[in-house]
Amino acid sequence: MPPSGWEHFGDYNDLGGLDGECELCGTAIRYVFPVYHARWGTMEVGEVCCDHLTSSDFATNQMRHVKRRTRFLFSNR
Ligand SMILES: [Zn+2]
């Protein structure tokens, strides 16, 4: 597997629970990030591995938005 040169593509997928599995480290994940490499193809990984593979904070930023939105909804109840 190529250690670098991965790109994230599209939006993350919220499974609604820890029903996914990171294809890199095997961790149970709720938010699935699709990543792509020209020589490897696609994988679905968790937030930490997405950031690691793409050398970015894309996934962390996405999760920051998700958590803020969740807190907002809860505080409105
Ligand atoms: Zn992982």
Side-chain angles (χ1 to χ4, degrees):
M1 198 194 91
S4 63
W6 291 82
E7 304 277 342
H8 57 79
F9 68 97
D11 284 333
Y12 66 88
N13 189 17
D14 181 359
L15 302 174
L18 290 173
D19 295 329
E21 186 180 314
C22 175
E23 289 185 38
L24 185 63
C25 69
T27 303
I29 51 175
R30 168 172 175 173
Y31 299 99
V32 180
F33 290 85
V35 292
Y36 172 81
H37 194 287
R39 293 210 312 273
W40 191 266
T42 60
M43 282 203 307
E44 293 186 331
V45 299
E47 133 189 28
V48 176
C49 290
C50 178
D51 280 355
H52 181 69
L53 287 172
T54 61
S55 301
S56 74
D57 56 2
F58 169 77
T60 305
N61 278 332
Q62 294 283 300
M63 286 300 95
R64 209 169 282 145
H65 291 304
V66 170
K67 280 157 191 167
R68 192 179 298 150
R69 196 158 61 222
T70 305
R71 256 203 313 273
F72 180 71
L73 286 175
F74 275 126
S75 67
N76 248 0
R77 271 184 196 163

